[in-house]
Amino acid sequence: LLIHAGLEGILQNLNPSEPINLNLYHADKDFLKQLPHLPKSLTEAVDLAANSTFIRRILPAAMIDAYCGQIQ
């Protein structure tokens, strides 16, 4: 998936976001709220993966359903 994500970014001429040169453990809470967050639980991550059009384009549906079904 990482290789496909990288290739898609190249094909769509996407630019990575600017690096944040900051210790996030000591960052202001208002600043942290502006940043994208990872899923807060395994259930949330599985739901996002199961409904991802990107993942569905890359992996066979049977594999996604089997993997996500085992986790849920």
Side-chain angles (χ1 to χ4, degrees):
L1 290 174
L2 286 174
I3 291 171
H4 283 280
L7 290 173
E8 186 168 297
I10 291 168
L11 292 172
Q12 293 183 13
N13 293 319
L14 300 177
N15 292 316
S17 58
E18 291 296 319
I20 298 172
N21 189 16
L22 178 68
N23 184 336
L24 297 178
Y25 288 106
H26 300 292
D28 182 65
K29 290 186 184 208
D30 290 331
F31 176 77
L32 293 175
K33 289 179 185 177
Q34 299 173 23
L35 299 176
H37 293 2
L38 293 171
K40 294 189 184 331
S41 68
L42 180 58
T43 302
E44 184 182 350
V46 168
D47 289 341
L48 288 169
N51 295 307
S52 168
T53 56
F54 171 75
I55 292 177
R56 292 251 173 221
R57 269 196 335 266
I58 306 302
L59 298 177
M63 180 184 287
I64 297 166
D65 295 341
Y67 181 77
C68 291
Q70 286 181 350
I71 305 258
Q72 292 176 335

